[in-house]
Amino acid sequence: MATPMSAYQNGTAVPNWLNKGDNAWQMIAATLVGLQSMPGLVILYGSIVKKKWAVNSAFMALYAFAAVIICWVTWAYKMSFGNKLLPFWGKAGPALGHSYLIVQAWLPATTQYYKNGTTETSVAVQLYPMASMVWFQCVFAAITLILLAGSLLGRMNIRAWMMFVPLWLTFSYTVGAFSLWGGGFLYHWGVADYSGGYVIHLSSGIAGFTAAYWVGPRTLSDRERFPPNNVLLMLAGAGLLWLGWAGFNGGDPYAANIDASLAVLNTNVCAATSLLVWTSLDVIFFKKPSVIGAVQGMITGLVCITPAAGLIEGWAAIVLGILSGSVPWFTMMIVHKRSSLLQQVDDTLGVFHTHAVAGFMGGILTGIFAQPELCNLFMPVTNSQGAIYGGKAGGVQVGKQIAGGLFIIGWNIVVTSIICNVIKLVIPLRMSEEDLMIGDDAVHGEEAYALWGDGEKYDKTKHGGGSNSDDNLHYATDINKTSSGATQVV
């Protein structure tokens, strides 16, 4: 028999505290963020790399997405958003039982107190079940590991990556998340990170660069020539990343409210501005617009606006876009090529520039442009405001932003280094030289395209023909080509 509708309307499936609009938006926002990773970054990574690394790069993202989900619900969610264990860490525990997941969502360590002990801001409580909060935060954790992977493409041992994901999630991501979002010391001090400029982008950029140092570089041939194998699919992945950012920044007020709307609009304004600025710089200095450069500019704009999305006005979003389209361009195209340190570390997709530089800059700019009224809609510390609005609070906010960023940087350098060296005791971090020469066929026994080309062993049974076959002629021509375009993958 069908269950009467009244059982759902009047029963516990729709408790009095549930706001259906907020719950629907939070689930949609979580889905949009999930789509950024799977299939967004899976497609982008599989397309932006050299053909022989397409499968491996896409799989690193796919594996991380799945592994994070299991670790998250088993122990990591409560380490990030549960009860306080240390000023920067929550108590580990599962988020799997129905008695925990169907109750009203709340973050137990977030009550803000004045110095005299009275309540300044009440504990963060949402109008939907804990299951929605757990899943929403899960996709944020997953994309952080996938962004980090961008620094390691084309040489990391896949078994080492399989160990790295749960270890880094546990000992690095959860610390940043609890410290800034879950009720840790940076949250209560008033460091502003609206949607992950520090928790996600600064941490992934710094950790990716650090891990790249320990893993070692790609082969010399890959570093010298690493063209994307499919520019159009790369743009498809980038498009999913851009539009998915509506959930990324629009979901972090934890409600379908006016701040969410503002955050989404600011996100798109900044991203568009940044893309146009980056492309203009490519044209001015290299005489041609680069599609890869446009994607990099889009990403830096999205990253830079993330810590500020719902805290600044529209004109400030344009300012952030101008800076995010120019400063990371300068560090990637000028500073990187002149710095011996940056040259020594093989950061495959330039994640240090697109995420660490853009994320830290966005956090500092938040301290400058945060609008007082908007801060009161989001920040637990009352009367927070940016430096341009004057007063002692404005100047202090910039200092808080810098200090918060430095904590994330320091923690990730130390912890990522420890994790890499522990893994190295068990499994080599880098693939064997033979596997590095062959690529996907050696690592996975699979190829991205039914074409013979760079990185594969020639096998007549698979590739057919003799020494004068069309495939051989095509390959001989292809290896003599050099990468074209203004902004190249670092």
Side-chain angles (χ1 to χ4, degrees):
M1 292 179 60
T3 304
M5 184 59 68
S6 59
Y8 296 107
Q9 296 296 337
N10 300 321
T12 57
V14 188
N16 293 332
W17 48 260
L18 179 69
N19 183 302
K20 294 181 180 180
D22 283 353
N23 193 34
W25 168 238
Q26 213 62 35
M27 295 298 287
I28 291 170
T31 302
L32 288 171
V33 178
L35 287 170
Q36 290 182 294
S37 296
M38 176 58 205
L41 284 170
V42 171
I43 294 173
L44 192 150
Y45 282 4
S47 306
I48 201 171
V49 297
K50 202 172 188 175
K51 173 186 173 294
K52 73 174 185 178
W53 293 118
V55 172
N56 183 257
S57 300
F59 182 72
M60 285 180 71
L62 178 62
Y63 167 79
F65 190 75
V68 167
I69 292 174
I70 301 305
C71 297
W72 191 250
V73 297
T74 307
W75 68 80
Y77 172 76
K78 288 188 178 179
M79 294 179 73
S80 305
F81 295 95
N83 292 296
K84 176 182 173 181
L85 174 65
L86 297 170
F88 52 86
W89 231 349
K91 296 179 182 178
L96 291 167
H98 83 282
S99 60
Y100 179 78
L101 294 175
I102 67 172
V103 300
Q104 186 172 6
W106 67 301
L107 307 182
T110 56
T111 304
Q112 178 73 18
Y113 297 99
Y114 288 111
K115 292 181 179 180
N116 62 10
T118 59
T119 300
E120 181 177 6
T121 306
S122 299
V123 63
V125 179
Q126 292 78 46
L127 302 179
Y128 42 78
M130 190 67 80
S132 297
M133 175 60 76
V134 171
W135 175 236
F136 177 73
Q137 295 296 350
C138 179
V139 289
F140 276 80
I143 198 172
T144 308
L145 265 300
I146 296 172
L147 293 174
L148 190 161
S151 296
L152 307 171
L153 302 180
R155 84 282 200 173
M156 188 172 188
N157 186 335
I158 189 64
R159 289 174 296 167
W161 175 244
M162 292 172 74
M163 289 184 63
F164 181 90
V165 169
L167 288 173
W168 192 87
L169 174 73
T170 302
F171 295 104
S172 185
Y173 182 83
T174 57
V175 170
F178 185 80
S179 297
L180 281 156
W181 288 344
F185 76 108
L186 294 177
Y187 175 92
H188 290 296
W189 192 34
V191 177
D193 187 8
Y194 189 85
S195 194
Y198 287 174
V199 176
I200 295 171
H201 301 295
L202 181 58
S203 65
S204 63
I206 295 298
F209 188 80
T210 304
Y213 169 80
W214 291 109
V215 173
R218 292 166 288 170
T219 61
L220 182 60
S221 61
D222 278 356
R223 293 195 74 178
E224 291 177 343
R225 182 179 179 277
F226 207 72
N229 68 83
N230 195 318
V231 173
L232 295 182
L233 272 180
M234 177 191 73
L235 287 174
L240 286 168
L241 197 64
W242 187 343
L243 270 296
W245 227 281
F248 202 104
N249 288 349
D252 260 306
Y254 298 150
N257 60 19
I258 57 174
D259 206 25
S261 300
L262 179 67
V264 171
L265 180 59
N266 281 342
T267 298
N268 287 280
V269 168
C270 184
T273 304
S274 183
L275 185 154
L276 297 175
V277 170
W278 192 297
T279 300
S280 298
L281 290 172
D282 275 350
V283 172
I284 292 168
F285 289 95
F286 300 107
K287 310 306 178 186
K288 60 178 70 173
S290 164
V291 177
I292 295 177
V295 171
Q296 301 279 39
M298 174 204 83
I299 291 172
T300 56
L302 293 168
V303 170
C304 187
I305 192 64
T306 292
L311 302 175
I312 64 172
E313 299 187 75
W315 62 266
I318 294 176
V319 174
L320 264 65
I322 293 171
L323 292 172
S324 64
S326 55
V327 174
W329 182 94
F330 179 76
T331 64
M332 179 181 284
M333 304 306 298
I334 308 299
V335 176
H336 186 98
K337 295 177 180 179
R338 297 180 181 180
S339 168
S340 58
L341 172 63
L342 295 176
Q343 286 287 328
Q344 288 174 6
V345 180
D346 182 18
D347 180 3
T348 308
L349 299 185
V351 178
F352 174 80
H353 303 284
T354 57
H355 293 272
V357 172
F360 197 14
M361 182 175 67
I364 295 171
L365 292 172
T366 302
I368 296 173
F369 294 109
Q371 205 273 345
E373 184 178 347
L374 297 175
C375 286
N376 286 334
L377 297 178
F378 183 80
M379 300 281 289
V381 178
T382 55
N383 301 318
S384 297
Q385 62 184 40
I388 66 166
Y389 295 95
K392 181 180 178 181
V396 169
Q397 191 64 45
V398 176
K400 290 180 180 180
Q401 298 301 114
I402 294 172
L406 291 176
F407 170 77
I408 295 295
I409 291 170
W411 185 270
N412 277 279
I413 291 173
V414 173
V415 172
T416 304
S417 296
I418 293 172
I419 290 171
C420 287
N421 281 281
V422 169
I423 292 173
K424 191 164 61 174
L425 297 174
V426 182
I427 300 173
L429 291 172
R430 195 167 178 266
M431 297 180 196
S432 68
E433 292 299 322
E434 183 180 6
D435 287 353
L436 287 171
M437 292 301 296
I438 298 169
D440 291 337
D441 203 13
V443 181
H444 300 283
E446 298 165 318
E447 305 168 37
Y449 306 106
L451 300 169
W452 179 54
D454 188 18
E456 300 176 45
K457 287 182 176 178
Y458 179 67
D459 182 348
K460 287 185 179 181
T461 62
K462 290 200 301 182
H463 304 127
S467 60
N468 294 321
S469 70
D470 288 342
D471 280 341
N472 284 338
L473 292 173
H474 171 76
Y475 179 58
T477 302
D478 184 64
I479 63 174
N480 291 321
K481 292 181 180 179
T482 57
S483 299
S484 60
T487 304
Q488 292 301 319
V489 178
V490 177

